[in-house]
Amino acid sequence: MRGLNWDQLRIFLATAEAGSLRKAAETLGIGHATVRRGITRLEEHLDTRLFDRSADGLTPTQPGEILIDHARLVERETNRIARRLSGLDADPSGVIRVSMPPSFAQGLFAPILADFTEKHPNIEVQVIGTNRFSDLTRLEADISIRAAYRVDDDVVGRRLVRYVTAAFATPDYLAKRPDLTVGDGAEAHWIGYGGDTNWVADTPFPNAIARHMLPEIFMQLEAAAYGLGMAWVPAFLGDLDPRLVRVPGVQVEPNRSIWLLLHGDLRNTARVRAFVDHAAESIARDKSRFTQ
């Protein structure tokens, strides 16, 4: 029997983890037909069925379960080799992939990227805007800029700065509520951001009602700018919107930290090191923006 094809194994592993051909195709960024063809060819090569099909999706057969462990081992080794080869790079040129929350891409990253591009014109930066934590060990990104209280990943990390949150609203919204009082806020609204409203009790206006559920920070700020209520967001992002002001009398509160993460195998790669050092220095120079 010929050796196993890594591309087919990659498709198989993504399908096993996703539970369907469609979800695997979305994860891999390839067509549904390509995924189906890869699974079929692998099953033909091994002369065994790897999945049981049902209305609920795909479930690995016993041979499929055995192959999952093998595929994960091959994936780890393939990624390790790719990282080590990338780490041999000494010329600050080429492509780096940086994942970050979409709000950071707009409100934090643009000036850093502009200055970095001027200094390193031969490095292309590809941004992955996502609120999901990218798995650096699986090469989903080269660098991750993340907002978190702590980081437990097996990666090299720099904790850059701990930012504060503040309350924002339009001057007109505040003018219509002259009796708005810290500790009460019954006549006001918060712009919601999650599936529950338990967080309201811990805000400066615990009696305000959370209205609407907007998952992105800039969606919350836009809603606040249209007078729908107050937004409780990172101050360094809220301060960017000239339509909004900080709600008077409300103290800022320390929140998460901004982390700059990369896999240890890439720390000596010239283009990665150049970006990490530049981003860290840029944020350090403007530290007060995040802490006041």
Side-chain angles (χ1 to χ4, degrees):
M1 180 184 291
R2 292 181 294 105
L4 295 178
N5 181 296
W6 163 237
D7 198 48
Q8 292 173 1
L9 278 178
R10 182 175 66 96
I11 290 173
F12 162 77
L13 184 57
T15 304
E17 293 176 342
S20 76
L21 299 178
R22 177 183 58 80
K23 291 180 181 178
E26 292 174 355
T27 299
L28 296 172
I30 59 179
H32 178 279
T34 302
V35 173
R36 181 184 297 278
R37 188 162 52 248
I39 296 297
T40 299
R41 289 177 177 173
L42 185 58
E43 289 181 328
E44 291 173 349
H45 176 68
L46 296 173
D47 193 25
T48 188
R49 192 176 74 258
L50 298 174
F51 293 102
D52 288 324
R53 279 79 170 172
S54 70
D56 295 327
L58 301 179
T59 304
T61 60
Q62 185 177 8
E65 291 284 359
I66 295 172
L67 187 59
I68 288 174
D69 292 336
H70 174 75
R72 285 177 175 155
L73 177 62
V74 174
E75 179 188 50
R76 286 195 296 270
E77 286 301 302
T78 301
N79 289 340
R80 184 182 65 83
I81 292 170
R83 289 192 303 266
R84 294 198 63 181
L85 291 177
S86 180
L88 296 175
D89 174 29
D91 180 29
S93 63
V95 177
I96 55 175
R97 296 166 301 142
V98 184
S99 72
M100 67 187 74
S103 57
F104 281 18
Q106 182 174 346
L108 169 69
F109 186 64
I112 293 176
L113 178 60
D115 192 30
F116 178 76
T117 300
E118 184 175 348
K119 294 178 180 177
H120 301 281
N122 294 323
I123 300 178
E124 177 186 343
V125 178
Q126 297 178 352
V127 173
I128 303 168
T130 177
N131 287 316
R132 185 179 66 83
F133 291 166
S134 296
D135 189 339
L136 300 180
T137 64
R138 300 183 71 169
L139 298 179
E140 292 182 352
D142 300 315
I143 300 166
S144 175
I145 299 177
R146 183 185 301 181
Y149 291 108
R150 56 182 294 178
V151 172
D152 298 320
D153 308 41
D154 183 20
V155 294
V156 175
R158 292 193 193 183
R159 180 178 176 271
L160 301 182
V161 65
R162 188 179 186 187
Y163 63 79
V164 298
T165 53
F168 291 86
T170 63
D172 184 60
Y173 185 87
L174 297 173
K176 292 177 180 178
R177 293 161 178 80
D179 298 325
L180 185 64
T181 304
V182 172
D184 181 16
E187 68 274 34
H189 291 89
W190 285 112
I191 303 298
Y193 60 78
D196 61 61
T197 59
N198 295 333
W199 57 272
V200 172
D202 297 323
T203 69
F205 301 106
N207 295 324
I209 298 174
R211 179 164 57 184
H212 308 305
M213 296 297 166
L214 307 179
E216 281 295 334
I217 291 174
F218 277 99
M219 294 173 65
Q220 297 159 27
L221 289 171
E222 194 67 17
Y226 275 89
L228 291 178
M230 302 176 294
W232 185 244
V233 297
F236 73 92
L237 296 176
D239 286 334
L240 293 174
D241 196 321
R243 300 169 296 177
L244 299 172
V245 296
R246 297 193 186 191
V247 178
V250 176
Q251 298 296 314
V252 299
E253 292 188 7
N255 200 272
R256 294 171 177 81
S257 293
I258 298 176
W259 296 79
L260 197 58
L261 308 173
L262 68 153
H263 196 280
D265 289 345
L266 297 180
R267 61 183 153 188
N268 293 323
T269 304
R271 61 184 181 276
V272 172
R273 187 175 64 249
F275 177 85
V276 168
D277 290 344
H278 177 82
E281 291 168 4
S282 297
I283 291 177
R285 282 197 306 268
D286 203 14
K287 188 174 182 179
S288 62
R289 173 190 171 199
F290 302 91
T291 59
Q292 298 178 1

